[in-house]
């Protein structure tokens, strides 16, 4: 197991965003995290990355306890993230965004080669001198995925990577994630689009009110009687 | 194909660059390329030619005016280090600090106390300079550590740094009594310290005393160039990229694996040390330092210079600072109250019409014009 949480708890006032979460990701799998709005998916991401401190519980990454490590140190150990809210440097050029993302482990020709590779992969060739904030929404999204992927992470965390993408872009993103997975990258993705989940996921975890509601293969989750109910219940609210 | 001997002999002196061995030429190009990059405006032949002409003008300038005027111009250069330091802290790393004058004052007093106690022989003033700048850097480490590791952010950095500056001023102002002395150096309260030696360079035929005159002017000009070019290199290196990333989006910078607080602290200490350098040079230039160097007006002025010039670019900061100090001194002839009001008006106009800085906006406009005419001026 590359990542594991033990009894993770976090509350904001009266809201329990994580209740006793025991959660694990196998090395090499694509794991999707689903659940209705406000279920605590993004909060679990932030706990894993150290952007939130848990009230109790622990987090192990590659069998090492990282519960008390600051975020940057967890990133250095091989995590990489694209959050739900856009996290690019809008006033800087596309190239600058990439240089800043990769410069701490790549230099000179290797850095340049990776930049070119990510530009090609994200369909951003010819746009490298543009301010990142002037790109279309879809391209910004791809740039950010490129920033997260280019560091060659062990564990890639993607919070709604396909939000706002066209069906075609979504399908391409799925292919890209599968090929990354084939190269040995473990992926944890928050996703709402069930057909996308079907396309990519090896395993699925359903969160509901900060708790793990169900876990299993895509087929198991789809046939799980309660899962449809919580989605329907959430949309009734 | 081998060329005849005669030809290659004739060609030998043809071009300085061609005559340089290839290895050396590449090294030179590499060093020059490090001075350019996305974090500083100005690159290419025309920029460096303009800069070289400006430096040349500054070098021959003392030939045309008397020593007193040159010494007065040296005074302008004294302040540029503090301004460039603020540019690093505020413009590049994104933390608005009013603390530059505290580092300035501490280093200025440090130089006074050290040299009044130990004199100027054996090049001690240079050691005093280094120690005083180190003292300012130490204060920046302590203050910066509590701020950045205590998660003080945004406008509160301004408030904390201003408070520290004003407390320091108030403290120094009440040291009038004879009990306030460090060794032979009386602190003298509001009247401040005076009578310390100028910077003194040990020289075989007799020490060179750098009074406010031509020699000091050249030393300051050289120092300013070294710091300016050094900052250009640092800011275009990975370190500068990280500072800019933190300014633009600190959480993202952290999530790319950067220890944000450490970089903020490093930027703050670098800026504080440069302010300390200005403080020492100021004290050595006029042989006095008073608590009014840390007043609220003194604390606001560097912010105004840097805002006017353009905080996000070291060249714009440097030019803006020189222009503003010149303007300020010129206006002071008509009354210092009046000069301060004009400074305030300029700040307001800058914020309203060119929030990125007036000089920086002009520089961007010029470089856009040059680009549209294909690089020809
Ligand atoms: N910093 C915070 N302070 C207070 N409440 C918070 C904070 N962050 C999240 N919450 C609350 O915690 C709950 C879970 O939020 P979270 O963003 O983790 O949900 P999510 O599953 O990602 O939802 P979505 O699908 O809408 O992105 C929500 O009710 C949210 O309002
Ligand atoms: Mg979310």
């Amino acid at each position: 197991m590359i990542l594991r949480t033990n009894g993770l708890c976090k509350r904001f006032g009266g809201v329990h965003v994580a209740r006793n979460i025991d959660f694990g990701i196998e090395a090499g799998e694509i794991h999707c995290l689903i659940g209705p709005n406000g279920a605590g998916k993004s909060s679990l991401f932030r706990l894993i990355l150290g952007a939130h401190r848990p009230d109790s519980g622990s987090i192990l990454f590659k069998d090492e306890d990282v519960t008390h490590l600051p975020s940057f140190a967890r990133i250095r150990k091989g995590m990489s993230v694209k959050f739900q809210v856009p996290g690019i440097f809008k006033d800087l050029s596309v190239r600058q965004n990439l240089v800043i993302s990769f410069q701490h482990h790549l230099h000179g020709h290797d850095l340049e080669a990776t930049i070119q590779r990510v530009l090609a992969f994200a369909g951003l060739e010819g746009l490298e001198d543009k301010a990142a904030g002037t790109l279309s929404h879809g391209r910004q999204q791809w740039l950010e995925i490129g920033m997260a992927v280019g560091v060659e992470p062990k564990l890639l965390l993607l919070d709604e990577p396909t939000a706002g993408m066209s069906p075609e872009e979504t399908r391409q993103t799925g292919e890209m994630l599968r090929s990354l997975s084939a190269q040995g990258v473990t992926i944890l993705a928050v996703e709402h689009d069930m057909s996308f989940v079907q396309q990519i996921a090896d395993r699925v975890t359903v969160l509901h009110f900060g708790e793990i509601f169900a876990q299993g293969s895509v087929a198991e989750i789809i046939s799980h009687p309660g899962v449809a109910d919580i989605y329907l219940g959430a949309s009734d609210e | 194909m081998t060329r005849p001997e005669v030809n290659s002999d004739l060609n030998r002196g043809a071009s300085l660059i061609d005559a340089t061995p290839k290895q050396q030429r590449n090294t030179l190009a590499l060093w020059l390329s490090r001075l350019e990059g996305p974090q500083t405006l100005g690159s290419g032949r025309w920029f460096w030619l303009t800069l070289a002409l400006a430096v040349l003008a500054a070098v021959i300038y003392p030939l045309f005016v008397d020593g007193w005027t040159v010494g007065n111009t040296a005074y302008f250069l004294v302040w540029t280090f503090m301004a460039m330091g603020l540019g690093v802290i505020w413009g590049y790393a994104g933390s608005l600090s009013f603390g530059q004058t505290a580092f300035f004052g501490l280093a200025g007093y440090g130089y006074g106390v050290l040299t009044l106690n130990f004199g100027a022989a054996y090049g001690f003033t240079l050691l005093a300079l280094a120690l005083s700048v180190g003292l300012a850097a130490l204060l920046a480490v302590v203050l910066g550590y509590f701020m950045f590791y205590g998660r003080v952010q945004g406008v509160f950095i301004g408030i904390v740094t201003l408070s520290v500056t004003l407390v320091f001023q108030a403290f120094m102002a009440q040291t009038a009594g004879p009990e306030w002395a460090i060794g032979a150096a009386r602190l003298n309260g509001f009247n401040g310290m005076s009578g310390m030696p100028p910077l003194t360079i040990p020289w075989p035929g007799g020490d060179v005393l750098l009074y406010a005159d031509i020699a000091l002017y050249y030393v300051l000009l050289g120092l300013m160039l070294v710091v300016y070019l050094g900052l250009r290199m640092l800011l275009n290196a990975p370190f500068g990229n990280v500072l800019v990333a933190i300014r633009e989006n600190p959480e993202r910078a952290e999530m790319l694996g950067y220890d944000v607080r450490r970089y903020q602290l490093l930027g703050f200490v670098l800026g504080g040390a440069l302010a300390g350098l200005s403080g020492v040079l100021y004290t050595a230039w006029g042989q006095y330092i008073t608590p009014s160097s840390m007043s609220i007006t003194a604390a606001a002025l560097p912010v105004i210079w840097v805002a006017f010039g353009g905080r996000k670019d070291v060249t714009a900061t440097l030019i803006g600072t020189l222009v503003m100090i010149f303007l300020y001194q010129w206006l002071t002839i008509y009354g210092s109250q009046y000069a301060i009001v004009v400074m305030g008006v300029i700040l307001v106009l800058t914020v309203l019409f060119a929030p990125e800085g007036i000089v920086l906006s002009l520089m961007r406009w010029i470089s856009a014009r040059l680009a549209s005419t294909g690089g020809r001026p």
Side-chain angles (χ1 to χ4, degrees):
Chain A
M1 242 178 232
I2 188 166
L3 183 93
R4 189 194 190 111
T5 73
N6 297 315
L8 214 53
C9 292
K10 178 73 184 178
R11 52 186 281 190
F12 290 110
V15 185
H16 287 264
V17 294
R19 277 183 230 241
N20 205 21
I21 291 189
D22 294 320
F23 175 70
I25 307 175
E26 298 290 344
E29 71 172 338
I30 298 185
H31 197 120
C32 280
L33 200 56
I34 66 170
N37 291 115
K41 306 180 294 294
S42 296
S43 300
L44 182 56
F45 261 47
R46 300 183 79 79
L47 284 165
I48 292 171
L49 283 153
H52 287 333
R53 293 275 141 151
D55 298 330
S56 61
S58 64
I59 302 165
L60 275 76
F61 181 53
K62 296 191 286 188
D63 295 324
E64 183 190 343
D65 190 337
V66 296
T67 317
H68 301 289
L69 285 187
S71 299
F72 76 89
R74 302 185 197 195
I75 300 288
R76 288 292 177 101
K77 290 195 180 295
M79 294 188 193
S80 172
V81 63
K82 182 205 103 57
F83 280 119
Q84 189 169 358
V85 289
I88 55 173
F89 304 105
K90 285 183 186 284
D91 288 341
L92 305 184
S93 69
V94 169
R95 162 171 285 270
Q96 272 291 294
N97 271 273
L98 297 175
V99 169
I100 290 169
S101 305
F102 310 144
Q103 68 176 15
H104 58 65
H105 72 298
L106 294 172
H107 308 275
H109 295 301
D110 295 339
L111 176 61
E112 191 53 39
T114 300
I115 288 174
Q116 293 306 331
R117 202 157 45 79
V118 171
L119 285 173
F121 140 88
L124 293 166
E125 291 134 317
L127 298 171
E128 53 179 283
D129 293 326
K130 282 212 173 252
T134 63
L135 299 176
S136 71
H137 176 83
R139 286 222 161 95
Q140 292 189 21
Q141 193 99 332
W142 278 71
L143 171 61
E144 193 171 359
I145 295 174
M147 287 161 67
V149 166
V151 297
E152 293 171 16
K154 295 281 179 295
L155 174 63
L156 177 63
L157 297 130
L158 300 170
D159 198 344
E160 307 204 2
T162 65
M165 283 189 185
S166 69
E168 176 57 19
E169 287 170 330
T170 302
R171 196 189 55 73
Q172 287 174 352
T173 307
E175 278 173 15
M176 183 268 288
L177 294 183
R178 287 252 56 122
S179 83
L180 273 178
S181 172
Q183 291 161 34
V185 180
T186 310
I187 297 168
L188 175 64
V190 170
E191 194 47 63
H192 279 298
D193 179 347
M194 276 312 285
S195 65
F196 183 72
V197 172
Q198 270 175 295
Q199 184 193 349
I200 63 165
D202 297 315
R203 273 200 317 151
V204 180
T205 295
V206 186
L207 276 188
H208 187 40
F209 288 124
E211 271 178 316
I212 292 183
F213 181 82
Q215 211 163 26
S217 69
V218 184
E220 284 164 358
I221 293 300
I222 288 175
S223 61
H224 191 292
V227 171
D229 290 346
I230 64 168
Y231 269 95
L232 289 174
S235 60
D236 281 349
E237 280 171 8
Chain B
M1 201 177 86
T2 41
R3 271 193 267 162
E5 276 301 312
V6 181
N7 262 354
S8 67
D9 259 67
L10 277 175
N11 279 338
R12 196 154 283 165
S15 150
L16 203 62
I17 293 189
D18 291 344
T20 319
K22 193 159 187 178
Q23 188 60 44
Q24 262 180 326
R25 213 190 306 163
N26 289 342
T27 316
L28 183 74
L30 185 69
W31 275 94
L32 282 177
S33 74
R34 286 190 177 150
L35 291 166
E36 299 179 349
Q39 311 309 358
T40 56
L41 217 58
S43 65
R45 204 196 301 171
W46 289 108
F47 173 78
W48 293 109
L49 202 64
T50 312
L51 184 78
L53 284 176
V55 172
L56 186 69
V59 167
I60 60 171
Y61 157 79
L63 300 178
F64 301 99
V65 289
D66 61 296
W68 188 87
T69 311
V70 176
N72 194 38
T73 308
Y75 173 82
F76 297 170
L77 306 185
V78 159
W79 300 96
T80 56
F81 306 97
M82 173 156 75
M84 288 191 280
L86 180 60
V88 172
I89 298 173
W90 181 29
Y92 284 86
S95 314
L96 174 52
S97 167
F98 286 94
Q100 290 297 79
T101 36
F103 306 129
F104 179 98
L106 182 66
Y109 271 97
Y111 179 82
V113 168
L114 285 167
T115 52
L116 285 175
N117 277 297
F118 299 105
Y122 311 113
F124 182 76
T125 57
L126 301 182
L127 180 62
L129 180 147
L131 290 173
S132 305
V133 170
L135 193 63
L138 193 66
L139 175 65
V141 169
V142 174
L143 179 59
Y145 181 83
F146 280 110
M147 284 196 312
F148 297 119
Y149 283 78
R151 303 248 182 234
V152 175
Q153 279 169 347
V155 68
F156 294 100
I157 290 179
I159 293 171
V160 170
T161 48
L162 184 61
S163 309
V164 168
T165 307
L166 296 182
V167 165
F168 190 31
Q169 183 209 10
F171 176 80
M172 294 314 289
Q174 56 84 50
T175 57
E179 71 276 23
W180 292 103
I182 302 174
R186 281 273 305 271
L187 297 180
N188 274 335
F190 203 75
N191 294 325
M193 282 171 126
S194 59
M196 57 285 278
L199 288 176
T200 308
I201 298 174
W203 207 258
D207 290 354
V208 179
L209 272 62
L210 297 176
Y211 284 108
D213 205 330
I214 294 176
L216 181 61
Y217 168 81
Y218 280 124
V219 167
L220 292 181
L221 185 65
L223 204 54
M224 185 180 86
L225 267 178
V226 167
V227 169
Y228 167 72
L229 295 177
L231 283 178
R232 279 189 77 107
M233 247 181 232
L234 187 68
L235 292 169
N236 285 312
F239 178 76
N241 287 338
V242 177
L243 291 191
V244 168
I246 291 169
R247 175 188 79 202
E248 296 291 317
N249 189 340
E251 187 185 46
R252 185 71 229 183
E254 172 105 22
M255 290 301 170
L256 288 172
Y258 297 110
D259 187 348
V260 168
R261 293 175 293 179
R262 187 161 145 264
Y263 277 92
Q264 285 176 317
L265 180 59
L266 285 171
F268 190 72
V269 172
L270 172 64
L274 286 173
L277 179 59
S278 279
V280 171
L281 297 173
Y282 171 85
T283 309
W285 178 87
Q287 286 124 52
Y288 68 93
I289 175 104
T290 71
S292 63
S293 287
M294 291 161 281
S295 68
I296 191 154
T297 315
L301 282 176
V303 174
I304 297 178
W305 305 332
V306 174
F308 167 81
R311 62 188 188 281
K312 291 179 183 170
D313 185 81
V314 62
T315 315
T317 295
L318 182 58
I319 296 172
T321 300
L322 288 169
V323 169
M324 288 298 269
I325 294 172
F326 177 78
L327 186 69
Y328 187 76
Q329 233 206 8
W330 180 67
L331 287 169
T332 312
I333 301 169
Y334 305 97
S336 60
Q337 255 44 49
Y338 177 67
I340 289 165
V341 170
V342 172
M343 292 290 117
V345 170
I346 289 177
L347 178 65
V348 171
L349 292 178
T350 303
V351 170
L352 286 179
F353 297 108
E356 298 279 89
I358 300 217
V359 177
L360 183 56
S361 301
L362 275 174
M363 284 170 62
R364 285 198 177 134
W365 184 76
I366 291 170
S367 66
R369 287 299 298 262
L370 287 179
S372 70
T373 57
R376 273 170 283 111

